Amino acid sequence: MKRLLWSVAVFGALVVLPAGSPLAAQGVTTAAVIGRLTDEAGGPVAQASVSLLNASTGQSWLTRAGGDGRFAFENVTVGGPYAVDVRAIGFEPVHFEGLFLRLGQRYTFDRAMKRAAVEVAGVTVEGQASPLLSVARTGAQTFVGESLITRLPTLGRNFTDFINVVPQVVTAGVPGASVGGQNN
């Protein structure tokens, strides 16, 4: 009887006491910076490079805007000051600093970028033939000559014993040999 009363009391206490929330320990500990980059006409600036720098810690994030000009920095440390730099070919760079982020904040950084003329400097490429490279040789090689064959030990004069000295040949654990990573 005591066991029954004890069981009922424990069950009643569990029912009456409020259950703790399973996600009570989960909380927001970061912030986010999102935005959309457009040109003067309102069209998207695709593939723009966007960087976010925390000046007090030196921590930085880098992303590219998508085809619609949108970008996002999620899980950004709270605080600041932050500096935002935006660069895109054919547009003037955008620099913004003094941004402070609060806990759970989703700061919206929408900017219209001004078009700018771009002058690309010439690139000079010089090449030289290397004496180590030759079109006659197309990969790694090993030459097992007659003098090496006479000095190498072999069991039963099996020629496959000689290919074991070549680094590109694997014979351990495979039936036969695997040369250059090819499947038997």
Side-chain angles (χ1 to χ4, degrees):
M1 186 68 174
K2 285 185 180 183
R3 182 180 276 174
L4 178 64
L5 288 175
W6 176 250
S7 298
V8 170
V10 169
F11 180 72
L14 290 176
V15 171
V16 174
L17 292 175
S21 174
L23 299 177
Q26 306 298 320
V28 177
T29 60
T30 59
V33 177
I34 60 172
R36 184 167 187 259
L37 304 172
T38 58
D39 59 10
E40 295 149 332
V45 178
Q47 299 301 315
S49 172
V50 185
S51 67
L52 181 68
L53 171 70
N54 187 336
S56 63
T57 64
Q59 187 175 14
S60 65
W61 293 265
L62 180 66
T63 191
R64 288 213 175 268
D68 58 354
R70 296 187 189 279
F71 67 92
F73 294 105
E74 300 289 342
N75 299 323
V76 178
T77 309
V78 176
Y82 282 96
V84 180
D85 287 305
V86 182
R87 295 186 181 278
I89 295 176
F91 294 92
E92 291 181 4
V94 174
H95 179 77
F96 178 78
E97 55 186 41
L99 173 63
F100 287 87
L101 298 174
R102 294 184 314 271
L103 189 64
Q105 180 181 11
R106 292 186 64 80
Y107 184 82
T108 303
F109 187 83
D110 292 338
R111 291 293 186 272
M113 299 181 70
K114 295 181 183 176
R115 293 201 176 266
V118 176
E119 181 178 331
V120 179
V123 176
T124 304
V125 178
E126 294 180 15
Q128 296 179 356
S130 172
L132 300 175
L133 301 176
S134 169
V135 293
R137 295 190 313 250
T138 59
Q141 68 178 7
T142 301
F143 181 72
V144 180
E146 185 178 343
S147 66
L148 188 58
I149 289 176
T150 59
R151 289 182 286 136
L152 286 173
T154 179
L155 296 172
R157 301 186 50 80
N158 190 352
F159 79 95
T160 58
D161 292 340
F162 301 123
I163 67 170
N164 289 331
V165 299
V166 179
Q168 294 84 14
V169 175
V170 177
T171 58
V174 251
S178 173
V179 179
Q182 292 182 354
N183 191 355
N184 295 331

PDB file of all heavy atoms in Angstrom, residues 51-84:
ATOM      1  N   SER A  51      33.016  43.230 -47.748  1.00  0.00           N
ATOM      2  CA  SER A  51      33.787  42.815 -46.571  1.00  0.00           C
ATOM      3  C   SER A  51      33.281  43.557 -45.345  1.00  0.00           C
ATOM      4  O   SER A  51      32.849  44.710 -45.427  1.00  0.00           O
ATOM      5  CB  SER A  51      35.279  43.074 -46.779  1.00  0.00           C
ATOM      6  OG  SER A  51      35.532  44.456 -46.846  1.00  0.00           O
ATOM      7  N   LEU A  52      33.345  42.869 -44.213  1.00  0.00           N
ATOM      8  CA  LEU A  52      32.917  43.411 -42.930  1.00  0.00           C
ATOM      9  C   LEU A  52      34.069  43.228 -41.962  1.00  0.00           C
ATOM     10  O   LEU A  52      34.574  42.122 -41.803  1.00  0.00           O
ATOM     11  CB  LEU A  52      31.670  42.655 -42.446  1.00  0.00           C
ATOM     12  CG  LEU A  52      31.057  43.085 -41.119  1.00  0.00           C
ATOM     13  CD1 LEU A  52      30.454  44.479 -41.243  1.00  0.00           C
ATOM     14  CD2 LEU A  52      29.989  42.086 -40.690  1.00  0.00           C
ATOM     15  N   LEU A  53      34.508  44.318 -41.324  1.00  0.00           N
ATOM     16  CA  LEU A  53      35.667  44.278 -40.436  1.00  0.00           C
ATOM     17  C   LEU A  53      35.299  44.857 -39.080  1.00  0.00           C
ATOM     18  O   LEU A  53      34.784  45.967 -38.988  1.00  0.00           O
ATOM     19  CB  LEU A  53      36.825  45.077 -41.034  1.00  0.00           C
ATOM     20  CG  LEU A  53      38.039  45.302 -40.137  1.00  0.00           C
ATOM     21  CD1 LEU A  53      38.799  43.995 -39.930  1.00  0.00           C
ATOM     22  CD2 LEU A  53      38.957  46.348 -40.733  1.00  0.00           C
ATOM     23  N   ASN A  54      35.575  44.079 -38.013  1.00  0.00           N
ATOM     24  CA  ASN A  54      35.408  44.566 -36.651  1.00  0.00           C
ATOM     25  C   ASN A  54      36.714  45.260 -36.276  1.00  0.00           C
ATOM     26  O   ASN A  54      37.741  44.609 -36.089  1.00  0.00           O
ATOM     27  CB  ASN A  54      35.104  43.418 -35.692  1.00  0.00           C
ATOM     28  CG  ASN A  54      34.761  43.891 -34.305  1.00  0.00           C
ATOM     29  OD1 ASN A  54      35.135  44.985 -33.888  1.00  0.00           O
ATOM     30  ND2 ASN A  54      34.045  43.062 -33.575  1.00  0.00           N
ATOM     31  N   ALA A  55      36.700  46.580 -36.180  1.00  0.00           N
ATOM     32  CA  ALA A  55      37.924  47.344 -35.944  1.00  0.00           C
ATOM     33  C   ALA A  55      38.524  47.078 -34.569  1.00  0.00           C
ATOM     34  O   ALA A  55      39.736  47.179 -34.396  1.00  0.00           O
ATOM     35  CB  ALA A  55      37.639  48.842 -36.109  1.00  0.00           C
ATOM     36  N   SER A  56      37.714  46.711 -33.585  1.00  0.00           N
ATOM     37  CA  SER A  56      38.250  46.501 -32.238  1.00  0.00           C
ATOM     38  C   SER A  56      38.933  45.144 -32.082  1.00  0.00           C
ATOM     39  O   SER A  56      39.862  45.015 -31.290  1.00  0.00           O
ATOM     40  CB  SER A  56      37.138  46.648 -31.194  1.00  0.00           C
ATOM     41  OG  SER A  56      36.162  45.654 -31.387  1.00  0.00           O
ATOM     42  N   THR A  57      38.500  44.119 -32.837  1.00  0.00           N
ATOM     43  CA  THR A  57      39.103  42.785 -32.707  1.00  0.00           C
ATOM     44  C   THR A  57      39.916  42.376 -33.919  1.00  0.00           C
ATOM     45  O   THR A  57      40.703  41.439 -33.841  1.00  0.00           O
ATOM     46  CB  THR A  57      38.010  41.717 -32.489  1.00  0.00           C
ATOM     47  OG1 THR A  57      37.182  41.653 -33.658  1.00  0.00           O
ATOM     48  CG2 THR A  57      37.194  42.002 -31.257  1.00  0.00           C
ATOM     49  N   GLY A  58      39.726  43.026 -35.059  1.00  0.00           N
ATOM     50  CA  GLY A  58      40.422  42.656 -36.277  1.00  0.00           C
ATOM     51  C   GLY A  58      39.757  41.510 -37.017  1.00  0.00           C
ATOM     52  O   GLY A  58      40.244  41.083 -38.060  1.00  0.00           O
ATOM     53  N   GLN A  59      38.652  40.991 -36.499  1.00  0.00           N
ATOM     54  CA  GLN A  59      37.962  39.882 -37.154  1.00  0.00           C
ATOM     55  C   GLN A  59      37.271  40.406 -38.409  1.00  0.00           C
ATOM     56  O   GLN A  59      36.659  41.473 -38.391  1.00  0.00           O
ATOM     57  CB  GLN A  59      36.942  39.270 -36.204  1.00  0.00           C
ATOM     58  CG  GLN A  59      36.304  38.013 -36.730  1.00  0.00           C
ATOM     59  CD  GLN A  59      35.391  37.366 -35.704  1.00  0.00           C
ATOM     60  OE1 GLN A  59      35.029  37.964 -34.711  1.00  0.00           O
ATOM     61  NE2 GLN A  59      35.017  36.135 -35.964  1.00  0.00           N
ATOM     62  N   SER A  60      37.386  39.630 -39.493  1.00  0.00           N
ATOM     63  CA  SER A  60      36.791  40.091 -40.744  1.00  0.00           C
ATOM     64  C   SER A  60      36.003  38.971 -41.415  1.00  0.00           C
ATOM     65  O   SER A  60      36.275  37.793 -41.212  1.00  0.00           O
ATOM     66  CB  SER A  60      37.867  40.619 -41.690  1.00  0.00           C
ATOM     67  OG  SER A  60      38.736  39.565 -42.068  1.00  0.00           O
ATOM     68  N   TRP A  61      35.037  39.362 -42.217  1.00  0.00           N
ATOM     69  CA  TRP A  61      34.207  38.461 -43.002  1.00  0.00           C
ATOM     70  C   TRP A  61      34.229  38.973 -44.427  1.00  0.00           C
ATOM     71  O   TRP A  61      34.326  40.180 -44.675  1.00  0.00           O
ATOM     72  CB  TRP A  61      32.767  38.456 -42.506  1.00  0.00           C
ATOM     73  CG  TRP A  61      32.574  37.881 -41.144  1.00  0.00           C
ATOM     74  CD1 TRP A  61      32.219  36.597 -40.849  1.00  0.00           C
ATOM     75  CD2 TRP A  61      32.692  38.547 -39.888  1.00  0.00           C
ATOM     76  NE1 TRP A  61      32.124  36.428 -39.494  1.00  0.00           N
ATOM     77  CE2 TRP A  61      32.412  37.618 -38.877  1.00  0.00           C
ATOM     78  CE3 TRP A  61      33.035  39.840 -39.503  1.00  0.00           C
ATOM     79  CZ2 TRP A  61      32.441  37.931 -37.525  1.00  0.00           C
ATOM     80  CZ3 TRP A  61      33.077  40.156 -38.167  1.00  0.00           C
ATOM     81  CH2 TRP A  61      32.779  39.207 -37.190  1.00  0.00           C
ATOM     82  N   LEU A  62      34.124  38.058 -45.397  1.00  0.00           N
ATOM     83  CA  LEU A  62      34.133  38.434 -46.803  1.00  0.00           C
ATOM     84  C   LEU A  62      33.119  37.572 -47.541  1.00  0.00           C
ATOM     85  O   LEU A  62      33.033  36.365 -47.317  1.00  0.00           O
ATOM     86  CB  LEU A  62      35.528  38.220 -47.409  1.00  0.00           C
ATOM     87  CG  LEU A  62      35.704  38.575 -48.875  1.00  0.00           C
ATOM     88  CD1 LEU A  62      35.539  40.076 -49.068  1.00  0.00           C
ATOM     89  CD2 LEU A  62      37.060  38.127 -49.372  1.00  0.00           C
ATOM     90  N   THR A  63      32.332  38.204 -48.414  1.00  0.00           N
ATOM     91  CA  THR A  63      31.358  37.461 -49.212  1.00  0.00           C
ATOM     92  C   THR A  63      31.187  38.167 -50.546  1.00  0.00           C
ATOM     93  O   THR A  63      31.702  39.273 -50.751  1.00  0.00           O
ATOM     94  CB  THR A  63      30.009  37.339 -48.477  1.00  0.00           C
ATOM     95  OG1 THR A  63      29.184  36.407 -49.177  1.00  0.00           O
ATOM     96  CG2 THR A  63      29.298  38.668 -48.376  1.00  0.00           C
ATOM     97  N   ARG A  64      30.454  37.526 -51.436  1.00  0.00           N
ATOM     98  CA  ARG A  64      30.100  38.121 -52.724  1.00  0.00           C
ATOM     99  C   ARG A  64      28.590  38.231 -52.809  1.00  0.00           C
ATOM    100  O   ARG A  64      27.861  37.361 -52.343  1.00  0.00           O
ATOM    101  CB  ARG A  64      30.593  37.256 -53.875  1.00  0.00           C
ATOM    102  CG  ARG A  64      32.062  37.294 -54.059  1.00  0.00           C
ATOM    103  CD  ARG A  64      32.414  37.150 -55.525  1.00  0.00           C
ATOM    104  NE  ARG A  64      33.834  37.302 -55.722  1.00  0.00           N
ATOM    105  CZ  ARG A  64      34.435  38.432 -56.004  1.00  0.00           C
ATOM    106  NH1 ARG A  64      33.737  39.531 -56.123  1.00  0.00           N
ATOM    107  NH2 ARG A  64      35.735  38.492 -56.189  1.00  0.00           N
ATOM    108  N   ALA A  65      28.144  39.312 -53.436  1.00  0.00           N
ATOM    109  CA  ALA A  65      26.714  39.502 -53.650  1.00  0.00           C
ATOM    110  C   ALA A  65      26.255  38.525 -54.726  1.00  0.00           C
ATOM    111  O   ALA A  65      26.998  38.212 -55.653  1.00  0.00           O
ATOM    112  CB  ALA A  65      26.427  40.938 -54.070  1.00  0.00           C
ATOM    113  N   GLY A  66      25.046  38.046 -54.597  1.00  0.00           N
ATOM    114  CA  GLY A  66      24.490  37.122 -55.572  1.00  0.00           C
ATOM    115  C   GLY A  66      24.057  37.841 -56.838  1.00  0.00           C
ATOM    116  O   GLY A  66      24.270  39.046 -57.018  1.00  0.00           O
ATOM    117  N   GLY A  67      23.417  37.111 -57.730  1.00  0.00           N
ATOM    118  CA  GLY A  67      22.957  37.670 -58.991  1.00  0.00           C
ATOM    119  C   GLY A  67      21.923  38.761 -58.818  1.00  0.00           C
ATOM    120  O   GLY A  67      21.774  39.635 -59.670  1.00  0.00           O
ATOM    121  N   ASP A  68      21.199  38.729 -57.694  1.00  0.00           N
ATOM    122  CA  ASP A  68      20.197  39.764 -57.428  1.00  0.00           C
ATOM    123  C   ASP A  68      20.751  40.903 -56.583  1.00  0.00           C
ATOM    124  O   ASP A  68      20.014  41.793 -56.171  1.00  0.00           O
ATOM    125  CB  ASP A  68      18.980  39.152 -56.731  1.00  0.00           C
ATOM    126  CG  ASP A  68      19.322  38.462 -55.420  1.00  0.00           C
ATOM    127  OD1 ASP A  68      20.531  38.348 -55.108  1.00  0.00           O
ATOM    128  OD2 ASP A  68      18.395  38.040 -54.715  1.00  0.00           O
ATOM    129  N   GLY A  69      22.073  40.887 -56.310  1.00  0.00           N
ATOM    130  CA  GLY A  69      22.703  41.955 -55.539  1.00  0.00           C
ATOM    131  C   GLY A  69      22.599  41.793 -54.036  1.00  0.00           C
ATOM    132  O   GLY A  69      23.064  42.637 -53.284  1.00  0.00           O
ATOM    133  N   ARG A  70      22.012  40.702 -53.572  1.00  0.00           N
ATOM    134  CA  ARG A  70      21.843  40.494 -52.138  1.00  0.00           C
ATOM    135  C   ARG A  70      23.056  39.798 -51.527  1.00  0.00           C
ATOM    136  O   ARG A  70      23.687  38.966 -52.158  1.00  0.00           O
ATOM    137  CB  ARG A  70      20.596  39.671 -51.846  1.00  0.00           C
ATOM    138  CG  ARG A  70      19.322  40.362 -52.252  1.00  0.00           C
ATOM    139  CD  ARG A  70      18.098  39.590 -51.790  1.00  0.00           C
ATOM    140  NE  ARG A  70      16.893  40.146 -52.348  1.00  0.00           N
ATOM    141  CZ  ARG A  70      16.261  41.213 -51.877  1.00  0.00           C
ATOM    142  NH1 ARG A  70      16.743  41.823 -50.816  1.00  0.00           N
ATOM    143  NH2 ARG A  70      15.178  41.667 -52.447  1.00  0.00           N
ATOM    144  N   PHE A  71      23.353  40.156 -50.279  1.00  0.00           N
ATOM    145  CA  PHE A  71      24.437  39.524 -49.531  1.00  0.00           C
ATOM    146  C   PHE A  71      23.999  39.413 -48.076  1.00  0.00           C
ATOM    147  O   PHE A  71      23.061  40.089 -47.647  1.00  0.00           O
ATOM    148  CB  PHE A  71      25.747  40.321 -49.637  1.00  0.00           C
ATOM    149  CG  PHE A  71      25.684  41.656 -48.958  1.00  0.00           C
ATOM    150  CD1 PHE A  71      26.085  41.798 -47.639  1.00  0.00           C
ATOM    151  CD2 PHE A  71      25.218  42.779 -49.630  1.00  0.00           C
ATOM    152  CE1 PHE A  71      26.017  43.025 -47.004  1.00  0.00           C
ATOM    153  CE2 PHE A  71      25.157  44.012 -49.008  1.00  0.00           C
ATOM    154  CZ  PHE A  71      25.557  44.137 -47.691  1.00  0.00           C
ATOM    155  N   ALA A  72      24.698  38.561 -47.310  1.00  0.00           N
ATOM    156  CA  ALA A  72      24.356  38.388 -45.903  1.00  0.00           C
ATOM    157  C   ALA A  72      25.579  37.928 -45.127  1.00  0.00           C
ATOM    158  O   ALA A  72      26.354  37.100 -45.602  1.00  0.00           O
ATOM    159  CB  ALA A  72      23.231  37.378 -45.746  1.00  0.00           C
ATOM    160  N   PHE A  73      25.756  38.499 -43.956  1.00  0.00           N
ATOM    161  CA  PHE A  73      26.739  38.041 -42.980  1.00  0.00           C
ATOM    162  C   PHE A  73      25.949  37.581 -41.760  1.00  0.00           C
ATOM    163  O   PHE A  73      25.379  38.398 -41.046  1.00  0.00           O
ATOM    164  CB  PHE A  73      27.688  39.176 -42.559  1.00  0.00           C
ATOM    165  CG  PHE A  73      28.569  39.678 -43.661  1.00  0.00           C
ATOM    166  CD1 PHE A  73      28.320  40.891 -44.272  1.00  0.00           C
ATOM    167  CD2 PHE A  73      29.661  38.941 -44.078  1.00  0.00           C
ATOM    168  CE1 PHE A  73      29.137  41.358 -45.270  1.00  0.00           C
ATOM    169  CE2 PHE A  73      30.480  39.400 -45.083  1.00  0.00           C
ATOM    170  CZ  PHE A  73      30.223  40.608 -45.683  1.00  0.00           C
ATOM    171  N   GLU A  74      25.895  36.275 -41.544  1.00  0.00           N
ATOM    172  CA  GLU A  74      25.180  35.720 -40.400  1.00  0.00           C
ATOM    173  C   GLU A  74      26.182  35.415 -39.290  1.00  0.00           C
ATOM    174  O   GLU A  74      27.380  35.272 -39.533  1.00  0.00           O
ATOM    175  CB  GLU A  74      24.441  34.444 -40.792  1.00  0.00           C
ATOM    176  CG  GLU A  74      23.409  34.634 -41.884  1.00  0.00           C
ATOM    177  CD  GLU A  74      22.176  35.407 -41.443  1.00  0.00           C
ATOM    178  OE1 GLU A  74      21.934  35.515 -40.228  1.00  0.00           O
ATOM    179  OE2 GLU A  74      21.460  35.909 -42.322  1.00  0.00           O
ATOM    180  N   ASN A  75      25.703  35.301 -38.066  1.00  0.00           N
ATOM    181  CA  ASN A  75      26.528  34.949 -36.894  1.00  0.00           C
ATOM    182  C   ASN A  75      27.709  35.891 -36.707  1.00  0.00           C
ATOM    183  O   ASN A  75      28.838  35.472 -36.531  1.00  0.00           O
ATOM    184  CB  ASN A  75      27.013  33.496 -36.991  1.00  0.00           C
ATOM    185  CG  ASN A  75      25.864  32.527 -37.029  1.00  0.00           C
ATOM    186  OD1 ASN A  75      24.857  32.735 -36.355  1.00  0.00           O
ATOM    187  ND2 ASN A  75      25.994  31.483 -37.821  1.00  0.00           N
ATOM    188  N   VAL A  76      27.442  37.169 -36.764  1.00  0.00           N
ATOM    189  CA  VAL A  76      28.462  38.196 -36.573  1.00  0.00           C
ATOM    190  C   VAL A  76      28.525  38.548 -35.089  1.00  0.00           C
ATOM    191  O   VAL A  76      27.497  38.650 -34.415  1.00  0.00           O
ATOM    192  CB  VAL A  76      28.124  39.452 -37.412  1.00  0.00           C
ATOM    193  CG1 VAL A  76      29.129  40.548 -37.191  1.00  0.00           C
ATOM    194  CG2 VAL A  76      28.046  39.084 -38.888  1.00  0.00           C
ATOM    195  N   THR A  77      29.728  38.713 -34.595  1.00  0.00           N
ATOM    196  CA  THR A  77      29.927  39.055 -33.191  1.00  0.00           C
ATOM    197  C   THR A  77      29.260  40.387 -32.865  1.00  0.00           C
ATOM    198  O   THR A  77      29.343  41.346 -33.627  1.00  0.00           O
ATOM    199  CB  THR A  77      31.429  39.145 -32.881  1.00  0.00           C
ATOM    200  OG1 THR A  77      32.061  37.965 -33.351  1.00  0.00           O
ATOM    201  CG2 THR A  77      31.673  39.297 -31.400  1.00  0.00           C
ATOM    202  N   VAL A  78      28.619  40.450 -31.708  1.00  0.00           N
ATOM    203  CA  VAL A  78      27.939  41.670 -31.269  1.00  0.00           C
ATOM    204  C   VAL A  78      28.982  42.706 -30.881  1.00  0.00           C
ATOM    205  O   VAL A  78      30.039  42.376 -30.356  1.00  0.00           O
ATOM    206  CB  VAL A  78      27.019  41.343 -30.071  1.00  0.00           C
ATOM    207  CG1 VAL A  78      26.369  42.592 -29.528  1.00  0.00           C
ATOM    208  CG2 VAL A  78      25.977  40.325 -30.478  1.00  0.00           C
ATOM    209  N   GLY A  79      28.688  43.970 -31.122  1.00  0.00           N
ATOM    210  CA  GLY A  79      29.597  45.053 -30.743  1.00  0.00           C
ATOM    211  C   GLY A  79      30.020  45.846 -31.947  1.00  0.00           C
ATOM    212  O   GLY A  79      29.284  46.035 -32.889  1.00  0.00           O
ATOM    213  N   GLY A  80      31.264  46.282 -31.913  1.00  0.00           N
ATOM    214  CA  GLY A  80      31.770  47.083 -33.010  1.00  0.00           C
ATOM    215  C   GLY A  80      32.933  47.904 -32.532  1.00  0.00           C
ATOM    216  O   GLY A  80      33.525  47.611 -31.487  1.00  0.00           O
ATOM    217  N   PRO A  81      33.304  48.894 -33.235  1.00  0.00           N
ATOM    218  CA  PRO A  81      32.725  49.412 -34.474  1.00  0.00           C
ATOM    219  C   PRO A  81      33.106  48.541 -35.667  1.00  0.00           C
ATOM    220  O   PRO A  81      34.198  48.010 -35.743  1.00  0.00           O
ATOM    221  CB  PRO A  81      33.340  50.801 -34.602  1.00  0.00           C
ATOM    222  CG  PRO A  81      34.658  50.678 -33.917  1.00  0.00           C
ATOM    223  CD  PRO A  81      34.457  49.710 -32.798  1.00  0.00           C
ATOM    224  N   TYR A  82      32.174  48.415 -36.594  1.00  0.00           N
ATOM    225  CA  TYR A  82      32.380  47.664 -37.815  1.00  0.00           C
ATOM    226  C   TYR A  82      32.562  48.623 -38.982  1.00  0.00           C
ATOM    227  O   TYR A  82      31.991  49.717 -39.000  1.00  0.00           O
ATOM    228  CB  TYR A  82      31.187  46.753 -38.112  1.00  0.00           C
ATOM    229  CG  TYR A  82      31.178  45.495 -37.287  1.00  0.00           C
ATOM    230  CD1 TYR A  82      30.437  45.408 -36.121  1.00  0.00           C
ATOM    231  CD2 TYR A  82      31.913  44.392 -37.680  1.00  0.00           C
ATOM    232  CE1 TYR A  82      30.418  44.242 -35.371  1.00  0.00           C
ATOM    233  CE2 TYR A  82      31.911  43.223 -36.935  1.00  0.00           C
ATOM    234  CZ  TYR A  82      31.170  43.165 -35.787  1.00  0.00           C
ATOM    235  OH  TYR A  82      31.168  42.019 -35.045  1.00  0.00           O
ATOM    236  N   ALA A  83      33.335  48.170 -39.984  1.00  0.00           N
ATOM    237  CA  ALA A  83      33.485  48.899 -41.237  1.00  0.00           C
ATOM    238  C   ALA A  83      33.038  47.972 -42.359  1.00  0.00           C
ATOM    239  O   ALA A  83      33.380  46.789 -42.371  1.00  0.00           O
ATOM    240  CB  ALA A  83      34.924  49.321 -41.448  1.00  0.00           C
ATOM    241  N   VAL A  84      32.255  48.516 -43.296  1.00  0.00           N
ATOM    242  CA  VAL A  84      31.769  47.750 -44.443  1.00  0.00           C
ATOM    243  C   VAL A  84      32.401  48.346 -45.690  1.00  0.00           C
ATOM    244  O   VAL A  84      32.348  49.560 -45.908  1.00  0.00           O
ATOM    245  CB  VAL A  84      30.229  47.813 -44.558  1.00  0.00           C
ATOM    246  CG1 VAL A  84      29.738  47.014 -45.750  1.00  0.00           C
ATOM    247  CG2 VAL A  84      29.573  47.329 -43.281  1.00  0.00           C
TER     248      VAL A  84
END
